[in-house]
Amino acid sequence: MSQRRTRDLPTVSGAWTYAARGELRRRGFWWNGRAWVAPSSEAAKQARHDLSGAVDTSWSLTVHGDAGWKDGVGKWAWFVRWNGGRVEGADAGTCPSVACAEALSLLAGVRVGVTRYQPKDGGVVYLRNDNLGVVTMLQQGARGKLQPVDDLLDLCDRHRLRVDARHVKGHQNPSNSVAAWVNNRVDALSHLRGAGPDALRRLAK
């Protein structure tokens, strides 16, 4: 399909589309990095009618994290989504391994998310990362192996947040899915962490 025809197609977006992403794919929608592109105006209208109300209304937070590490120094970034809003950031510091840096990316994102969006009665936090070891520790609730994982699990326990951690394949085409686009985003953020605030501001535009 030509670029012009793709631009002319209708799109759907909003908090409900994340929960409905599987059904949107089954209906022939695809992710363009910003919104879900519909195969037709009628398909977009029908999806909004059928799916926009079928979203779990309990509090939830989605955090994507990514990191780089070399010679004892990590650079990590996070991308937080909540109810249609988003916040992203990056940091750097000393840490003993790439796994530690990856876990710090998720921990930082959850800290930002619970501070800004303040869960009142529990909920769920969806964690997405391309480090399978970190994801497995979070899935198993394994404590005592990596301090940032312990801190993250403790933080979720304090706020009565159920953890849903899943592995996201790194270095995908960002148009493949929401997760692929965000993974590329946080990867770029983490690499720019040492480049100064001007570079981060350019990426945010």
Side-chain angles (χ1 to χ4, degrees):
M1 184 174 291
S2 71
Q3 187 177 12
R4 179 170 180 79
R5 285 186 63 195
T6 299
R7 285 202 308 267
D8 292 342
L9 286 172
T11 61
V12 297
S13 60
W16 65 273
T17 60
Y18 183 73
R21 62 195 183 282
E23 180 60 26
L24 288 172
R25 290 193 192 97
R26 284 189 286 274
R27 296 185 182 204
F29 289 68
W30 67 95
W31 177 252
N32 69 1
R34 296 289 181 181
W36 288 94
V37 181
S40 67
S41 296
E42 182 57 35
K45 181 179 177 181
Q46 193 65 45
R48 292 189 190 98
H49 176 272
D50 295 345
L51 304 174
S52 62
V55 178
D56 185 355
T57 57
S58 63
W59 192 95
S60 66
L61 184 76
T62 302
V63 177
H64 297 256
D66 196 37
W69 180 86
K70 184 178 180 181
D71 299 330
V73 177
K75 298 179 181 180
W76 55 90
W78 58 90
F79 186 100
V80 180
R81 291 186 290 150
W82 179 83
N83 196 27
R86 75 183 215 187
V87 59
E88 59 189 31
D91 207 346
T94 58
C95 56
S97 66
V98 65
C100 182
E102 297 282 5
L104 283 166
S105 73
L106 296 172
L107 174 60
V110 174
R111 281 175 171 163
V112 169
V114 298
T115 299
R116 177 170 292 203
Y117 303 120
Q118 299 180 353
K120 302 297 184 184
D121 300 304
V124 58
V125 58
Y126 299 100
L127 303 174
R128 303 294 182 258
N129 189 268
D130 60 10
N131 186 291
L132 186 57
V134 169
V135 170
T136 300
M137 280 186 265
L138 290 166
Q139 288 173 338
Q140 296 174 347
R143 286 179 165 85
K145 296 182 178 180
L146 203 57
Q147 189 60 51
V149 169
D150 293 355
D151 294 343
L152 177 49
L153 293 172
D154 290 345
L155 178 61
C156 291
D157 284 348
R158 287 197 301 275
H159 290 277
R160 293 186 293 129
L161 298 175
R162 179 175 62 85
V163 172
D164 181 323
R166 300 187 190 181
H167 179 255
V168 175
K169 184 180 178 182
H171 307 295
Q172 297 184 69
N173 185 325
S175 65
N176 285 354
S177 66
V178 179
W181 182 84
V182 178
N183 184 259
N184 276 267
R185 179 78 177 181
V186 290
D187 181 62
L189 276 170
S190 66
H191 280 86
L192 282 175
R193 179 59 187 87
D198 290 341
L200 290 171
R201 279 196 291 270
R202 286 196 296 273
L203 182 64
K205 291 180 180 179

